[in-house]
Amino acid sequence: MTTSPLAELSTHVTDLIARIDRAATLADLHADEPFIVGKRSILSTLQKSLGALAPEERKSAGAQLQEARRGVEEAYHVRRTFLEEATRTQALEADRLDLGDVVVAKVSVPLAVGHPGIVAATQRQLEDVFVAMGFTVSDGPEVESDWYNFEALNIPPAHPARGMWDTFYVDLGEPETVVLRTHTSPTQVHLMEKAVAADSLPIHSVMPGRCYRRDTPDARHLAAFHQIEGLVVDRGISFADLAGVIETFTHSYFGPDISSRLRPAFFPFTEPSAEFEITCTICRGEGCRTCSQTGWIELGGCGMLDPAVLEAVGIDGDEWSGFAFGFGIDRCAQMRHQIADMRALIDNDVRFLRQFS
Ligand code: DAH
């Protein structure tokens, strides 16, 4: 009697399963696949040898072989699932953000901390310059009555000069009697009233703060912006004092190669009035697009206190005289840091803001 080709079948199955379990990685398992369940497997060889058996023997041997193959394939499948899972876990492990490391980094690398915005920083620098020149720093309200924002500044109701300021009105009291201040000049009025009440003249003060105008924002304007106002009320003050303060400020803040000049202008609250300009910081006076080829950039307005303003707050214009000035803090920041578009100041883009830490 010939030995059945399947005599060693269970040993072969045990060997195959052992081989499957030895595959340490998916790649190893794939490489072994032809030898385990594929064409080069002992199972396929045995399958072919069944052809030599008698038909009745062949049937039961075929069923036996089929059974063995199913077992091996099952073991192969289980191993493959296990190795796939292990591969995924490994990948996740490699990708994992190690919180332990982050904590270490926090200790050893200084974390980025915030810093004052460019406008706030500019305001502080401007205050420092004026404090060094003997000025105090004062504050005023952002919501004003018509009286402080306009009337006391010699701009009566319906006066055409009101057109200089596109005003936001607050819906409070009689229509158009409460405004978001359009400039810092009303703070002058508060200061003068207080000084009269306290009998504490003279005044040498600057007043920084936020102002509002119904302007469409563009490269050089924002609807909410910042000004700094200056006020001197003293005895024997002349236009030369005003020009001297403006020039000293310009050199201190912008540097010795930037100068100032005054050009005749009109403001209802000063007489005479002037616009003050500084050397264009972009071209240093050569002439460029920003300064329309003039070499000069307008920064603000100024002038000698109008007698009508002194009278409105009850100051004796025969004894006291003074000057005032006002200019944009945002504009100063723009000029000093050469910021092409002022809207960058309110975009809150950290890539921009970080440059001014
Ligand atoms: N308040 C003016 C403005 O916003 C600027 C100004 C001009 C302020 C002349 C002054 C001044 O104190 O004397 O347009």
Side-chain angles (χ1 to χ4, degrees):
M1 197 180 115
T2 52
T3 29
S4 157
L6 300 189
E8 302 285 312
L9 184 59
S10 66
T11 311
H12 291 315
V13 168
T14 309
D15 286 350
L16 287 174
I17 290 178
R19 187 166 181 169
I20 289 171
D21 285 342
R22 270 200 309 274
T25 65
L26 262 186
D28 290 349
L29 188 66
H30 280 146
D32 266 358
E33 186 189 340
F35 304 98
I36 298 169
V37 288
K39 284 202 182 105
R40 303 168 77 175
S41 161
I42 180 74
L43 298 178
S44 301
T45 313
L46 291 177
Q47 181 78 39
K48 280 178 208 143
S49 68
L50 295 190
L53 293 180
E56 62 281 11
E57 268 180 298
R58 199 189 305 151
K59 198 169 171 209
S60 76
Q64 215 184 325
L65 193 55
Q66 198 57 34
E67 173 80 25
R69 179 178 278 278
R70 224 176 283 129
V72 171
E73 281 177 351
E74 172 72 16
Y76 183 88
H77 179 73
V78 168
R79 184 72 185 159
R80 194 178 62 196
T81 308
F82 171 80
L83 290 175
E84 277 170 357
E85 191 60 31
T87 308
R88 195 165 21 240
T89 309
Q90 250 168 25
L92 284 177
E93 194 68 19
D95 258 10
R96 194 164 72 106
L97 181 63
D98 191 333
L99 294 178
D101 279 354
V102 174
V103 173
V104 171
K106 194 166 160 189
V107 174
S108 57
V109 180
L111 285 179
V113 288
H115 56 85
I118 179 171
V119 175
T122 304
Q123 179 175 323
R124 283 181 206 173
Q125 289 156 0
L126 293 171
E127 287 173 9
D128 285 350
V129 168
F130 284 110
V131 166
M133 291 164 72
F135 286 78
T136 60
V137 179
S138 313
D139 254 349
E142 290 180 24
V143 177
E144 287 283 15
S145 66
D146 186 87
W147 159 260
Y148 284 103
N149 198 76
F150 292 122
E151 272 190 70
L153 291 167
N154 199 28
I155 318 167
H159 191 281
R162 288 197 178 206
M164 292 166 79
W165 300 275
D166 282 326
T167 309
F168 280 118
Y169 290 95
V170 177
D171 193 6
L172 237 171
E174 291 293 301
E176 304 201 350
T177 53
V178 182
V179 305
L180 291 183
R181 68 177 174 193
T182 58
H183 48 179
T184 40
S185 300
T187 312
Q188 288 182 29
V189 181
H190 288 288
L191 278 197
M192 288 189 279
E193 280 182 346
K194 270 188 228 149
V196 168
D199 197 16
S200 61
L201 287 173
I203 300 170
H204 305 89
S205 195
V206 289
M207 296 141 262
R210 189 178 294 143
C211 307
Y212 304 84
R213 284 187 204 170
R214 231 152 23 90
D215 272 341
T216 305
D218 64 23
R220 296 182 347 117
H221 299 90
L222 298 174
F225 58 101
H226 301 77
Q227 284 191 338
I228 185 164
E229 190 83 10
L231 175 70
V232 168
V233 181
D234 207 336
R235 294 186 175 88
I237 298 294
S238 74
F239 202 92
D241 297 310
L242 167 59
V245 164
I246 299 280
E247 180 75 349
T248 306
F249 152 73
T250 303
H251 286 321
S252 312
Y253 182 70
F254 289 102
D257 55 335
I258 303 293
S259 307
S260 66
R261 73 175 185 183
L262 301 177
R263 308 179 77 202
F266 170 77
F267 293 101
F269 29 90
T270 41
E271 181 59 36
S273 301
E275 266 167 11
F276 77 90
E277 300 183 332
I278 59 163
T279 316
C280 176
T281 55
I282 311 285
C283 62
R284 307 261 137 188
E286 295 287 311
C288 67
R289 269 216 336 251
T290 306
C291 62
S292 310
Q293 308 304 330
T294 62
W296 296 93
I297 289 280
E298 187 203 327
L299 209 59
C302 60
M304 303 306 290
L305 293 180
D306 193 292
V309 175
L310 293 177
E311 199 187 316
V313 295
I315 292 180
D316 178 359
D318 289 333
E319 187 183 353
W320 303 97
S321 58
F323 62 78
F325 56 84
F327 57 89
I329 295 176
D330 319 69
R331 183 66 58 80
C332 274
Q334 183 178 31
M335 280 299 114
R336 174 132 159 199
H337 299 288
Q338 302 170 6
I339 298 165
D341 192 321
M342 203 179 257
R343 286 168 291 191
L345 298 178
I346 53 170
D347 279 348
N348 267 347
D349 184 331
V350 287
R351 292 166 301 179
F352 172 79
L353 298 173
R354 271 200 201 115
Q355 300 174 59
F356 306 101
S357 59

